[in-house]
Amino acid sequence: MGLISEVLLLPFAPVRGSAWVIGQVLHEAERIYYDPATVRAELARLEERLEAGEISEEEFDREEDELLDRLEIASRKGAGTGNGTAP
């Protein structure tokens, strides 16, 4: 039955392959998004923008809260090191 089902499902192989690739891309994007080093770098850039007068105090506070939330989620998930341990 395995060979017959493989032959019958062969036309769907590109879809299965595409779904796997999309899943891998999504996983990597989430890893980078929640990486503590990335979040800390974004916090530093945000502070530089505030000091340069590019953003208001209110915008800084809002974006800082979002970044700190990401950092908290990363620490709970153990993301960012690639091996499942928190930094």
Side-chain angles (χ1 to χ4, degrees), residues 31-42 71 74-75 78-81 86-87:
R31 188 192 65 78
I32 292 170
Y33 184 75
Y34 289 110
D35 181 19
T38 302
V39 176
R40 288 187 191 105
E42 289 183 33
L71 197 57
S75 67
T81 61

Side-chain angles (χ1 to χ4, degrees), residues 6-15:
E6 285 297 317
V7 170
L8 292 175
L9 295 175
L10 192 58
F12 298 107
V15 174

Side-chain angles (χ1 to χ4, degrees), residues 17-34:
S18 296
W20 180 82
V21 169
I22 291 169
Q24 294 299 311
V25 169
L26 179 61
H27 176 73
E28 182 65 12
E30 285 179 345
R31 188 192 65 78
I32 292 170
Y33 184 75
Y34 289 110

Side-chain angles (χ1 to χ4, degrees), residues 11-74:
F12 298 107
V15 174
R16 290 191 312 234
S18 296
W20 180 82
V21 169
I22 291 169
Q24 294 299 311
V25 169
L26 179 61
H27 176 73
E28 182 65 12
E30 285 179 345
R31 188 192 65 78
I32 292 170
Y33 184 75
Y34 289 110
D35 181 19
T38 302
V39 176
R40 288 187 191 105
E42 289 183 33
L43 281 167
R45 283 193 297 273
L46 184 63
E47 189 170 345
E48 289 172 0
R49 290 177 58 205
L50 177 67
E51 291 173 358
E54 296 175 9
I55 59 174
S56 67
E57 188 74 36
E58 294 80 23
E59 187 175 352
F60 173 83
D61 289 340
R62 183 182 54 76
E63 290 185 33
E64 182 186 40
D65 287 343
E66 291 174 8
L67 289 169
L68 292 175
D69 287 344
R70 279 175 43 194
L71 197 57
E72 182 181 336
I73 291 168

